[in-house]
Every structure is written in C-alpha cells, then in structure tokens.
Amino acid sequence: MDRRRSLLVALVALAALAGCLSGGPQTPAAPGDAVPAGSDTVNATVTRVVDGDTVEIRYDDGTFDTVRLLGIDTPETRGGTNSAEFEGVPDTAAGRACLERAAGNATRALEALVGGVPVVVAVDPKADRRDRYDRLLAYLVVDGVDANERLVERGHARVYDSTFSRSDRFYDLEANAQDARRGVWACVDPATPTGGVGLRVVADAPGDDRENPNGESVVVSNSGGDPLAIGNWTVTDEAGHRYTFPPGATVPANGSVRLHSGSGTDTATEFYRGNGPIWNNDGDTATLRAANGTVVAAASY
C-alpha cells in the first residue's frame, strides 16, 4: 500500500512538471509566432516590474516567480552600470548620467508593455532555463508581441551575449537602434558640441489626444551657453512622420522650444505640426536630426 501511494505521488509530480513551469497552468495561451518552436509556455500575470529586464509574475495557480527577460540587458536603475557593456557609450559623467536616464526609460517602457497584464511566459529550448540567481530566463509575450524584442527594437536594451534561438533577429534590431541612436544608444554621444541638446516627448495629452492635439508635444532643450540654430532640422517618430523646423528657428541658450502636434501660429519658442496627434501613448521614439541628417538626440519612452 505504501509503495503504491509513493508511486502515485511520483507520477503526479512528473505530470505537473511536464505540464507547467513552476506550477503554472497546463494549457497556456497561444503566443503566436513570437517565440521559437519547441518553447515551453505558460500563462501568468506580471505583478511587478522590477526594472527594464526583470519582472515578478504570478502563475494562474497562484504561485509566484521572478523572470529575467531572455537575451537582453538594460542599464541598472540603481546606477553602477558598466559603460563598456553598451558599445560606444563613454565612461564619463555625461555617459553615466545618460545611462541612468535610460534605465528609468527602459523600466517605464516595460511597465507599459507588460505591467499588470496577462502574459505568455516562454522558455527557449536553446537557452538556459534559469540564471545563477534562480530567475527564470524567458520571453514575455503580450497579444503576440515579444516584449524582449520590442525593448531591443526601441533601443531600451542591448542584446545579452548568450545562446538563444532569436539572437540573430535581436542583433539586427540592436544594430538598427544603434544606427538611429534610439534609447540607450543616444548615450553614445550624450553631450554635443553645442553644449547639450535634450529631447523629451509629452505623448499623453490631457483628455482625448484627438480633441487636444496641442497637449501632445516634443520639447527640444539646449543646455549650452549659446543659442542653438535648428533651422531645417527634423523631428521624426518610429512610423516615419516628419516635421522640419523653419529656417531661422533657434533654441535659446539654456532654454527650450516646444513642437505641438496640433495647429497654431509659430512663435520663437512654440511650433506647430498641424497634422494632429502622432505619438503613441504606449511607447515611441522621437529622433532629432540636423539638416545634414546627423542624429543629434533621440528619446524613447
């Protein structure tokens, strides 16, 4: 009798292990094409975004786990990021300060993608299952979108040098983000000869964005001691919308100008696209280019 009971307990344990990760449900939601074939998948809800590459989750059976997003690495939110880990970012005060800002941006971007929502947790068959801190190494998929990939695409994360099925795809996206100076890659040149150009997006206008397009804007700041000429410079979003500042436009010394999405009459510090809202509330990248096409600043959120 005792032997039969022991055998039954063992069989139940094996069945649970085969059907889930850390006690998750045995019938996970379909992740679509966002994960490699053969991945182990399970349903969960993100209960806390720790930083740009780590979350805490609750499986559908009520158990908890910590997930380290597979294949990516974001700057540390508590500082101390090694600049050498992010190719081209200088180990200077400006470079380190830029990485700290990028860390906050990455955390907010991940929060917008997965915070508090049901996700599919997918473990790559080619990758290690857990890291040395016993965190599950996985992709997080929401509505068919791989959050790991999206963070790399938007420049919030670098590719972590490790073995996983989607590494070629991730490296291609990283190269594109580097070329465009998106997100953390804007830190490659955190201070410009003009004394420092900043870019900030106000994406979520008060009320309905469509009814308040001028509540959505982009702020270009100049921390230098001389005015900054931005005539014929352009601001673009990820979808390719483009605005060109008029000839003679200038950002005051230690000041800023604002580009509104709606209509209005341009002044020395207020400009208007006149085409309505374009900035996605759930994340986008603004890129400021000089007249010759050089990327001067970029801001991802």
Side-chain angles (χ1 to χ4, degrees):
M1 183 68 175
D2 289 342
R3 291 178 61 187
R4 286 198 299 271
R5 183 179 296 109
S6 297
L7 178 60
L8 178 61
V9 169
L11 289 174
V12 169
L14 286 173
L17 180 61
C20 65
L21 299 172
S22 299
Q26 296 186 30
T27 309
D33 298 326
V35 299
S39 297
D40 290 328
T41 58
V42 63
N43 290 335
T45 299
V46 174
T47 57
R48 177 180 172 233
V49 174
V50 178
D51 57 27
D53 54 34
T54 307
V55 301
E56 295 174 354
I57 62 171
R58 181 183 65 250
Y59 293 108
D60 283 0
D61 71 346
T63 58
F64 294 85
D65 207 347
T66 300
V67 175
R68 176 66 158 76
L69 273 64
L70 176 65
I72 73 170
D73 182 42
T74 61
E76 300 296 329
T77 55
R78 296 175 180 84
T81 300
N82 183 357
S83 300
E85 294 177 349
F86 291 85
E87 183 180 357
V89 177
D91 187 18
T92 62
R96 291 188 291 273
C98 188
L99 286 175
E100 288 186 15
R101 293 192 297 272
N105 290 339
T107 302
R108 287 187 288 273
L110 184 58
E111 177 72 37
L113 285 168
V114 305
V117 301
V119 297
V120 174
V121 181
V123 174
D124 191 319
K126 291 186 178 180
D128 291 337
R129 200 174 191 86
R130 291 188 179 270
D131 67 6
R132 59 178 176 168
Y133 303 108
D134 199 36
R135 298 176 298 188
L136 186 68
L137 299 171
Y139 306 101
L140 296 182
V141 183
V142 180
D143 296 329
V145 175
D146 175 9
N148 308 39
E149 175 183 307
R150 183 61 58 84
L151 291 175
V152 174
E153 180 182 26
R154 291 181 173 172
H156 292 302
R158 72 179 179 97
V159 180
Y160 189 79
D161 187 16
S162 55
T163 301
F164 59 104
S165 299
R166 308 198 70 211
S167 60
D168 288 345
R169 166 71 173 166
F170 279 29
Y171 278 119
D172 286 343
L173 292 172
E174 180 188 64
N176 291 338
Q178 288 174 321
D179 289 343
R181 292 289 191 268
R182 284 197 294 268
V184 67
W185 305 116
C187 298
V188 169
D189 186 15
T192 72
T194 60
V197 180
L199 198 61
R200 179 171 61 89
V201 180
V202 180
D204 192 5
D208 189 327
D209 290 5
R210 294 166 298 181
E211 296 178 359
N212 183 22
N214 283 332
E216 180 186 275
S217 63
V218 177
V219 178
V220 181
S221 59
N222 170 26
S223 62
D226 297 311
L228 173 66
I230 59 170
N232 296 317
W233 288 24
T234 60
V235 173
T236 58
D237 68 351
E238 288 183 348
H241 298 101
R242 178 184 299 270
Y243 172 83
T244 303
F245 285 99
T250 302
V251 185
N254 298 305
S256 64
V257 300
R258 186 180 295 269
L259 171 60
H260 299 276
S261 292
S263 300
T265 302
D266 288 352
T267 69
T269 58
E270 304 286 331
F271 298 87
Y272 299 85
R273 291 185 62 255
N275 301 114
I278 64 167
W279 301 105
N280 300 322
N281 291 346
D282 62 348
D284 208 335
T285 296
T287 304
L288 177 68
R289 290 180 172 86
N292 63 3
T294 300
V295 174
V296 178
S300 297
Y301 60 94

